[in-house]
Amino acid sequence: MALGKRICNGCGEYVPGGRCPNCSKKREAKRGTARQRGYSTQWDKYAKAYLMEHPMCVYCKAQGRDVVATCVDHVKPAASHPELFWEPTNHAAACTPCNVAKGAKADFLAT
């Protein structure tokens, strides 16, 4: 195994990290665009207002760090809980690294 390589989350091949290009394309095609997943202009406006009221990342705050939130996370993933997509109690202010890491963990656990 080459130094710094990991196993692709999709096919098991060694890659620099995450997924190989082929598996990444397959995953994105299956996942659909943000608009196809329900992230409409209405969501964009809602998220902007939510972040005005909740400007700090809740996940970083839990670790004692003050980091500005850049997106609204669905605490229970929207893909597996579509009925909670618009439920404010299922939303949390998050920075991009925390949101991506949480999503990647959910994807990993779902496979």
Side-chain angles (χ1 to χ4, degrees):
M1 174 174 84
L3 187 62
K5 296 222 174 188
R6 298 179 182 183
I7 296 174
C8 171
N9 297 334
C11 66
E13 294 294 320
Y14 286 107
V15 294
R19 291 182 172 84
C20 69
N22 189 36
C23 289
S24 292
K25 286 179 187 175
K26 286 180 184 176
R27 180 179 180 272
E28 286 303 313
K30 181 180 176 185
R31 186 173 185 221
T33 67
R35 294 294 188 229
Q36 290 169 332
R37 294 190 321 270
Y39 295 94
S40 62
T41 302
Q42 182 182 3
W43 173 263
D44 295 341
K45 291 176 184 176
Y46 171 83
K48 185 176 180 180
Y50 188 92
L51 292 174
M52 292 292 286
E53 289 185 35
H54 309 277
M56 305 307 286
C57 175
V58 297
Y59 304 112
C60 288
K61 190 73 168 172
Q63 296 176 10
R65 299 185 317 236
D66 289 328
V67 178
V68 174
T70 54
C71 54
V72 178
D73 176 45
H74 287 93
V75 178
K76 292 184 180 179
S80 55
H81 300 278
E83 72 281 5
L84 299 177
F85 189 91
W86 287 103
E87 177 56 48
T89 60
N90 190 46
H91 300 155
C95 64
T96 300
C98 285
N99 196 34
V100 168
K102 184 175 171 282
K105 182 177 179 183
D107 285 350
F108 176 76
L109 293 174
T111 57

